[in-house]
Amino acid sequence: MNRRYFLQTIAAATAAIPSLSIDGMNLPEDREDSHPELTRHKIKTVKYTQIQLRYPRLVGKNSRLDVHGTGPNVTICTLTTDRGAEGIGMLRGNTENADKVFAAIKDKSVWELFQPSQGTLDERHLIFDFCLYDLAGVILNKPVYALMGAEKPVVTRCYSGMIYFDEMEPENNPAGLDKVLENCRYDYEYGYRQFKVKIGRGGKWMSKEEGLKTDIAVTGMIFENFPDCDILVDGNDAFTVDYFISYLEGIKDVPLFWIEEPFRETRENYAGLRKWLTDNGRRNTLLADGEANPDLELALELGREKLLDVYIDDIAGYGMTRWRKLAPRLQEIGMMMSPHAWGSALKSFYITHLTGAYGNTPTIEGVTCFSDDIDLSAYRLVKGRITPPSAPGFGMKLLK
């Protein structure tokens, strides 16, 4: 797709972004009488539940880290009101800190803690950020994207974020490159039409020459076998500019939807990469950064200079409410957002509501998970696109 047309399409989809208060701007808040139900419910109890999520396969190495395993154990917290409403969500921190915060919010009305136009009102309460969104949605009988002001959600593409150095496992009998294709086929049949491919084998696990050769071979192999799919690549900061350009020269005419974290972000690095992309007919490729040790102000500066296209700080690490405040700033300078979601499908699903309300997102990171502990069935991936459900809150229910 032509990059200019793509950005124009994103801008059109986000023209009606809801207003929020951001960094010194005085924007209107909800009136108390606009949501009387929230004033009637007071926080009474909190409980914590450990749930197990399972990936469809072992997820192996990337350029920095060893094997990522078969799925995380996640702490879910449930906030209950005196009128029996329950909201659930990932806990943004540990239970010891959560108990201290709960002591301060117990017996307060939901309205005192959360307003649909603003999100969680006090930074000190953000440990319960996801829970409060779900709870407000349940009380008001609205999906979270509707709490944020969207009558109908923006439907967003979703890529598989699970194509790692799959050929290297198991360590005592490596599967070889066919394993990468096998995993891509699984993800294709599951519903993905975009693959984010980890590269940077020469950063830690191979010599630079052999790693580069393998990165190039894997990229070309996926392109050849899945011609109707987009390829995204993620270097996890394993490259220098020159080393990454060698990779780009090696993949020849293979189109890339985006490039993520090829190296540690600096103005010099991204200016060099952008120039090469422009000079070599790859101006349509999006540049995404901001996951590892993010520097927001630097990212915004790079965005203003058109050296960075997409900001990708983690949805849980940064938080839903903070992302809502950031969204208008990004849109104002022509940047897009795609919060990092790796580790848990819950994070991917939270993002569908954020992007469902705000748009301005080229694609969402998909993390395929299954669980006997939480019902995730309301979220469906169809031909590479994912739509948040219209059920109240986030539409997820504990099963244990």
Side-chain angles (χ1 to χ4, degrees):
M1 179 184 288
N2 178 273
R3 183 174 184 273
R4 179 176 295 177
Y5 174 77
F6 179 75
L7 295 176
Q8 288 173 343
T9 302
I10 288 289
T14 59
I17 270 187
S19 294
L20 287 172
S21 61
I22 57 171
D23 292 354
M25 294 177 63
N26 295 317
L27 297 175
E29 297 183 1
D30 291 313
R31 300 193 323 271
E32 187 165 355
D33 59 2
S34 63
H35 298 293
E37 300 93 336
L38 297 182
T39 67
R40 298 188 190 112
H41 285 259
K42 298 184 185 300
I43 303 294
K44 276 300 176 188
T45 65
V46 64
K47 69 177 180 181
Y48 310 107
T49 307
Q50 296 296 312
I51 66 167
Q52 182 67 51
L53 301 177
R54 302 187 309 277
Y55 302 145
R57 57 183 178 262
L58 176 73
V59 177
K61 300 174 173 66
N62 65 14
S63 69
R64 294 186 299 110
L65 300 174
D66 210 329
V67 172
H68 286 64
T70 56
N73 189 272
V74 176
T75 301
I76 297 292
C77 96
T78 303
L79 290 176
T80 306
T81 73
D82 59 345
R83 299 172 72 90
E86 288 187 350
I88 69 168
M90 286 180 61
L91 192 65
R92 296 187 60 252
N94 60 53
T95 56
E96 182 179 358
N97 288 336
D99 282 338
K100 294 176 183 176
V101 175
F102 179 75
I105 69 171
K106 185 179 180 182
D107 297 325
K108 290 185 180 292
S109 71
V110 175
W111 176 260
E112 292 176 272
L113 306 173
F114 180 95
Q115 293 177 13
S117 70
Q118 307 294 308
T120 301
L121 300 176
D122 191 324
E123 288 261 328
R124 293 172 297 180
H125 303 155
L126 287 176
I127 196 166
F128 295 122
D129 202 25
F130 295 125
C131 300
L132 288 169
Y133 276 95
D134 192 60
L135 180 59
V138 168
I139 293 170
L140 297 176
N141 196 32
K142 290 183 177 182
V144 169
Y145 66 78
L147 289 181
M148 298 181 189
E151 187 173 330
K152 292 183 178 180
V154 177
V155 178
T156 310
R157 302 187 217 193
C158 185
Y159 67 83
S160 167
M162 304 186 84
I163 309 301
Y164 279 60
F165 299 171
D166 303 326
E167 79 283 359
M168 294 184 180
E169 307 307 324
E171 188 173 345
N172 61 350
N173 185 26
L177 294 183
D178 283 347
K179 187 65 175 179
V180 178
L181 285 183
E182 178 185 325
N183 291 343
C184 287
R185 287 191 194 98
Y186 179 97
D187 292 348
Y188 187 94
E189 291 171 5
Y190 189 79
Y192 293 105
R193 294 298 180 268
Q194 294 180 317
F195 304 120
K196 187 171 82 174
V197 182
K198 293 290 187 177
I199 58 174
R201 290 165 173 82
K204 185 172 183 178
W205 309 108
M206 296 180 175
S207 69
K208 288 197 175 299
E209 181 179 352
E210 187 65 22
L212 183 62
K213 178 181 176 182
T214 307
D215 289 342
I216 291 168
V218 166
T219 308
M221 182 177 65
I222 294 173
F223 176 64
E224 181 179 347
N225 283 272
F226 298 92
D228 59 333
C229 294
D230 294 326
I231 296 176
L232 302 76
V233 295
D234 181 359
N236 291 111
D237 294 337
F239 292 81
T240 63
V241 175
D242 290 341
Y243 188 38
F244 192 74
I245 287 173
S246 296
Y247 164 77
L248 291 172
E249 291 172 339
I251 64 172
K252 298 180 181 178
D253 296 328
V254 175
L256 298 179
F257 183 85
W258 87 12
I259 295 166
E260 178 178 330
E261 291 199 319
F263 32 63
R264 188 63 194 166
E265 59 267 36
T266 68
R267 187 189 182 284
E268 181 181 11
N269 282 345
Y270 270 109
L273 177 56
R274 179 69 86 191
K275 183 179 186 306
W276 190 94
L277 292 171
T278 301
D279 291 347
N280 289 271
R282 286 183 176 270
R283 187 65 179 87
N284 292 349
T285 300
L286 299 173
L287 299 180
D289 215 318
E291 173 207 334
N293 304 310
D295 183 335
L296 174 58
E297 294 309 315
L298 174 60
L300 294 175
E301 179 183 327
L302 296 176
R304 291 186 192 98
E305 297 182 40
K306 308 306 177 189
L307 299 178
L308 193 62
D309 300 300
V310 191
Y311 188 61
I312 59 170
D313 200 348
D314 191 84
I315 187 65
Y318 197 56
M320 180 77 83
T321 293
R322 288 176 179 153
W323 263 109
R324 290 181 68 189
K325 294 179 181 180
L326 179 59
R329 294 181 68 187
L330 294 172
Q331 190 189 29
E332 183 180 352
I333 64 174
M335 286 188 77
M336 292 175 283
M337 63 178 183
S338 182
H340 176 256
W342 172 252
S344 164
L346 275 65
K347 296 202 287 184
S348 300
F349 298 158
Y350 293 147
I351 295 167
T352 68
H353 289 268
L354 178 72
T355 63
Y358 289 87
N360 201 32
T361 298
T363 187
I364 294 171
E365 181 169 26
V367 184
T368 306
C369 289
F370 306 99
S371 181
D372 298 324
D373 300 330
I374 188 169
D375 183 0
L376 306 176
S377 62
Y379 292 83
R380 299 293 178 86
L381 179 68
V382 179
K383 294 183 178 179
R385 293 181 180 270
I386 189 166
T387 306
S390 60
F394 288 116
M396 293 181 257
K397 299 292 183 184
L398 287 175
L399 300 174
K400 61 181 292 187

